[in-house]
Amino acid sequence: LRRLQDDEAPPALLETATTALARCVGEVCDALITPAHMRLRSRLMFSARTVITPGTDLDLREVGLPEAMARALFEPLVTRRLRTERRGTQYDKVLDQVMTEHMVLVNRAPSLAPTALVALRPVRVAGNAVQLHPLVCQWLQADFDGDQVAIFLPITTAGARDAAEHLSVEGHLQRDFSLLAELIPRYEALWGLAKLSLTRRGRE
């Protein structure tokens, strides 16, 4: 294809060579990327795992990623944009920018329900644990007694689009609006809010 381009070959020959190249690349990718590479319980690139803690300052659509995890997951994308391995202020700025452009998949095994995979917007947080909004935990059938979640970063355009459309909070609700009932605070949370309201500091 390069030779034909350099020789300014007719468009018909260029189109034929481009089609042949695309077919060869597709065959190589099909041979290299098998269903085994997509198993959520296996160790994959662009994935991480740790315990969860409550993220009381998070929006329902956000997930807090520990600093080290965020850097490990997004470093290839940041490096590609920076073309350097620097870790200064510029790196952190680009890291935050890249994170705003991507959603990550949060999964808690066993994946028995559609909501076992939820696409959320990542934000950097301190510590070594993933932070989740307490109400999202009900979809994942998880709580804060040591439960772990896996984080997956869709890196293709199609994967990111599907995650946003079908696995986000909005996507799940569009698929099954009855899931909204599971996002209502449980009695423990309501009791805690009621108890807080008994004091001035709590009301503030």
Side-chain angles (χ1 to χ4, degrees), residues 67-98:
E67 183 79 22
M69 182 183 291
R71 290 182 178 275
L73 279 176
F74 289 92
E75 184 168 17
L77 303 180
V78 176
T79 302
R80 183 177 63 183
R81 186 167 298 186
L82 280 177
R83 307 291 183 185
T84 180
E85 295 288 342
R86 289 178 298 170
R87 294 291 185 107
T89 305
Q90 179 68 14
Y91 184 96
D92 291 341
K93 181 179 179 180
V94 174
L95 173 60
D96 290 332
Q97 181 181 357
V98 169

Side-chain angles (χ1 to χ4, degrees), residues 74 77-78 80-81 93-104 120-123 153-157 159-161 163-164:
F74 289 92
L77 303 180
V78 176
R80 183 177 63 183
R81 186 167 298 186
K93 181 179 179 180
V94 174
L95 173 60
D96 290 332
Q97 181 181 357
V98 169
M99 290 178 67
T100 61
E101 299 170 358
H102 292 78
M103 300 185 82
V104 295
L120 300 171
R121 293 287 177 189
V123 295
L153 173 61
I155 58 173
T156 66
T157 302
R161 182 179 61 251

Side-chain angles (χ1 to χ4, degrees), residues 145-157:
D145 62 355
D147 286 356
Q148 294 188 7
V149 295
I151 305 294
F152 300 96
L153 173 61
I155 58 173
T156 66
T157 302

Side-chain angles (χ1 to χ4, degrees), residues 91-152:
Y91 184 96
D92 291 341
K93 181 179 179 180
V94 174
L95 173 60
D96 290 332
Q97 181 181 357
V98 169
M99 290 178 67
T100 61
E101 299 170 358
H102 292 78
M103 300 185 82
V104 295
L105 299 178
V106 180
N107 169 249
R108 178 177 179 270
S111 304
L112 302 178
T115 55
L117 273 171
V118 182
L120 300 171
R121 293 287 177 189
V123 295
R124 286 192 292 163
V125 296
N128 297 313
V130 166
Q131 293 186 10
L132 283 178
H133 192 289
L135 297 186
V136 175
C137 290
Q138 299 183 61
W139 278 6
L140 298 170
Q141 298 181 9
D143 50 34
F144 302 116
D145 62 355
D147 286 356
Q148 294 188 7
V149 295
I151 305 294
F152 300 96

Side-chain angles (χ1 to χ4, degrees), residues 12-58:
L13 291 177
L14 289 174
E15 184 177 351
T16 301
T18 302
T19 302
L21 177 60
R23 184 175 62 253
C24 291
V25 171
E27 292 173 354
V28 171
C29 290
D30 289 341
L32 294 178
I33 302 176
T34 67
H37 293 108
M38 302 304 295
R39 291 175 184 162
L40 297 180
R41 294 189 181 184
S42 302
R43 180 168 178 82
L44 306 171
M45 291 183 63
F46 299 101
S47 68
R49 178 182 296 275
T50 188
V51 297
I52 58 173
T53 58
T56 55
D57 296 329
L58 294 176

